[in-house]
Amino acid sequence: MQHFKLEEIMDMERRKRATLINYLSGFKSANLIGTKSKEGQLNVAVFNSVIHIGANPPYFGFILRPITVPRHTYQYINETGYYTINHIHKSFYQAAHQTSAKYDTNISEFEAVGITPEFKGDFFAPYVRESHIQMGMELKEIHKIECNNTFLVIGKAVEIWLPDNSIDEDGHICLSDQKTVAIGGLDTYYETSKLDRLEYARLQQNS
Amino acid sequence: MQHFKLEEIMDMERRKRATLINYLSGFKSANLIGTKSKEGQLNVAVFNSVIHIGANPPYFGFILRPITVPRHTYQYINETGYYTINHIHKSFYQAAHQTSAKYDTNISEFEAVGITPEFKGDFFAPYVRESHIQMGMELKEIHKIECNNTFLVIGKAVEIWLPDNSIDEDGHICLSDQKTVAIGGLDTYYETSKLDRLEYARLQQNS
């Protein structure tokens, strides 16, 4: 095996280090976060850091990079308290990835990349119509991560939208059937196929 | 589509809700975290919440459930400051999943499930020999998440171990070639195949 000490990692060229380190946590979720400013400007951006925080009630988190340049997602969530989380599927991952380009404040990434904003009921923030699994989120907590000035943003799902017949009687959804993609590193997209669903792990008898 | 408001989610049977909500963030990473107590007791446990926090220097986080019962991973990290993160591959995901059973304090999950602890150099915590992608971690910050009493544990990678020839000149690793698995929900394991590696997103000309 190859061995890298911290000093060797820190000596790597900056972009190579960022590329490498981003793979090392394993697969990442692939979501679009939709927001709307107080003035009505729409924003959508790809995030590979959405994670499960808890189910009772349903909480999800994501990591925001340091606020050294304008971050519309952060600004609009902070000023309105609402956002949406939308799965990225195989059918539109290229357009989803393109939302990470640095568009001007007065440009909606929805229009720029050809993704469709959808307002449902009285929920404030825009959903992504192309997504089959969508959550309407209410901001709950923001934690500043001291070691590198990133933020963990936590919200509560106040509504969820799912395809008809996608949930079995025990609550399972097959993410590969839904064609939800996974991300490796910063820019590599993967499709998946199910290996197995394992039982809740119990102590083995006779062992 | 099916629509569930928060009240309907909260009215679901507890296990069904936990199962469903755990799928909604999308794919999760699959890692084993290895620890050793001050007294030398070894521990290894499956985690589906390891995330990238930053690359300069390399920081990773994971979510720990509330400390209402003994959590050896948390206790040993807290008392020693060191742990390892090890990718779970297709070759041993069943054994890795079995580490989540409630073994007694004096039992090493390594022995119980048939996974091999490996000490390398002078690093304090045990690696998982079966894993091809391993990181030696030093505890950095713990954040208590107020809304549900979980914790975000952040550490710095002080060394990494990777297979020979697994990194290309730009720092990319192919996670599907490494047979690293992804997790959906609490208990469903997926293998992956690469769709594409996309360019760093730039503003499109003539648009």
Side-chain angles (χ1 to χ4, degrees):
Chain A
M1 289 177 88
Q2 298 177 78
H3 182 220
F4 297 90
K5 294 184 186 174
L6 182 58
E7 310 83 79
E8 296 167 293
I9 297 169
M10 296 309 289
D11 282 344
M12 286 180 184
E13 188 274 322
R14 187 181 61 84
R15 282 163 303 181
K16 180 174 181 176
R17 178 176 55 235
T19 297
L20 173 63
I21 299 301
N22 266 278
Y23 284 104
L24 299 184
S25 54
F27 286 103
K28 300 171 175 177
S29 57
N31 287 284
L32 285 169
I33 292 185
T35 51
K36 185 172 77 173
S37 74
K38 279 188 302 188
E39 287 75 27
Q41 178 67 45
L42 305 189
N43 178 270
V44 65
V46 60
F47 280 83
N48 63 22
S49 60
V50 173
I51 54 171
H52 175 88
I53 299 286
N56 183 22
Y59 290 123
F60 297 90
F62 68 97
I63 301 292
L64 265 175
R65 296 175 61 197
I67 312 294
T68 51
V69 296
R71 303 258 180 226
H72 298 140
T73 300
Y74 179 80
Q75 181 191 328
Y76 298 169
I77 291 175
N78 231 340
E79 71 184 28
T80 72
Y82 292 97
Y83 55 108
T84 67
I85 296 176
N86 309 267
H87 279 211
I88 298 172
H89 306 293
K90 187 179 177 183
S91 54
F92 66 100
Y93 71 91
Q94 296 98 332
H97 185 73
Q98 182 61 29
T99 61
S100 59
K102 292 181 180 59
Y103 294 102
D104 282 346
T105 301
N106 61 344
I107 290 182
S108 161
E109 292 81 0
F110 280 108
E111 275 186 50
V113 309
I115 285 175
T116 317
E118 181 174 31
F119 288 92
K120 304 206 218 195
D122 57 359
F123 195 74
F124 180 82
Y127 288 99
V128 170
R129 178 170 293 167
E130 288 79 0
S131 177
H132 317 142
I133 298 178
Q134 308 168 334
M135 298 192 282
M137 304 295 299
E138 188 178 277
L139 176 62
K140 196 76 189 170
E141 298 179 28
I142 297 180
H143 292 260
K144 182 171 181 192
I145 297 174
E146 299 297 335
C147 61
N148 69 351
N149 296 317
T150 55
F151 297 87
L152 172 67
V153 179
I154 297 174
K156 180 161 72 170
V158 296
E159 63 174 10
I160 61 178
W161 294 88
L162 300 165
D164 292 333
N165 305 314
S166 58
I167 312 174
D168 78 6
E169 59 185 8
D170 297 322
H172 293 282
I173 298 175
C174 186
L175 295 180
S176 52
D177 287 351
Q178 296 299 327
K179 305 292 182 196
T180 295
V181 294
I183 296 178
L186 288 163
D187 56 9
T188 312
Y189 288 78
Y190 296 85
E191 60 185 329
T192 70
S193 50
K194 187 160 92 171
L195 286 166
D196 205 356
R197 184 191 302 160
L198 300 180
E199 297 286 321
Y200 182 84
R202 291 186 170 78
L203 296 183
Q204 288 147 328
Q205 300 298 313
N206 309 315
S207 71
Chain B
M1 290 179 87
Q2 298 176 78
H3 182 220
F4 297 90
K5 293 183 186 175
L6 182 58
E7 309 84 79
E8 296 168 293
I9 297 169
M10 296 309 289
D11 282 344
M12 285 180 183
E13 188 273 324
R14 186 180 60 82
R15 281 163 303 182
K16 180 175 181 176
R17 178 177 55 233
T19 297
L20 173 63
I21 299 300
N22 267 278
Y23 284 104
L24 299 184
S25 54
F27 286 103
K28 301 171 175 177
S29 56
N31 288 284
L32 286 169
I33 293 184
T35 52
K36 185 172 77 172
S37 74
K38 279 188 303 190
E39 286 75 27
Q41 178 68 46
L42 304 189
N43 178 270
V44 65
V46 60
F47 280 83
N48 63 22
S49 61
V50 173
I51 54 171
H52 175 87
I53 299 285
N56 184 21
Y59 290 124
F60 298 91
F62 67 96
I63 301 292
L64 264 174
R65 296 175 61 197
I67 313 296
T68 50
V69 297
R71 304 257 180 226
H72 298 139
T73 300
Y74 179 79
Q75 181 191 329
Y76 299 170
I77 290 176
N78 231 340
E79 70 184 27
T80 71
Y82 292 97
Y83 56 108
T84 66
I85 296 177
N86 309 267
H87 278 212
I88 298 172
H89 306 293
K90 187 178 176 183
S91 54
F92 66 99
Y93 72 91
Q94 296 98 332
H97 185 74
Q98 182 61 28
T99 61
S100 58
K102 293 180 178 61
Y103 294 101
D104 283 344
T105 302
N106 61 343
I107 290 183
S108 161
E109 291 81 1
F110 280 108
E111 275 185 50
V113 309
I115 284 175
T116 317
E118 182 174 30
F119 288 93
K120 305 206 216 195
D122 57 0
F123 195 75
F124 180 82
Y127 288 98
V128 170
R129 178 170 292 168
E130 289 79 1
S131 177
H132 317 142
I133 298 178
Q134 308 168 334
M135 298 192 282
M137 303 296 299
E138 188 178 278
L139 176 63
K140 196 76 189 170
E141 298 179 28
I142 298 180
H143 292 259
K144 182 171 181 190
I145 296 172
E146 298 297 334
C147 61
N148 69 350
N149 296 317
T150 55
F151 297 87
L152 171 67
V153 179
I154 296 173
K156 179 161 72 170
V158 295
E159 63 174 10
I160 61 179
W161 295 88
L162 300 165
D164 291 333
N165 306 315
S166 58
I167 312 175
D168 78 8
E169 59 185 8
D170 296 322
H172 294 281
I173 299 175
C174 186
L175 295 180
S176 51
D177 287 353
Q178 296 299 327
K179 305 291 183 197
T180 294
V181 295
I183 295 179
L186 288 163
D187 56 8
T188 311
Y189 289 78
Y190 296 85
E191 60 185 330
T192 70
S193 51
K194 187 160 91 171
L195 287 166
D196 205 357
R197 184 192 301 160
L198 300 181
E199 297 286 321
Y200 182 83
R202 291 184 171 80
L203 297 184
Q204 289 147 327
Q205 301 299 314
N206 311 314
S207 72

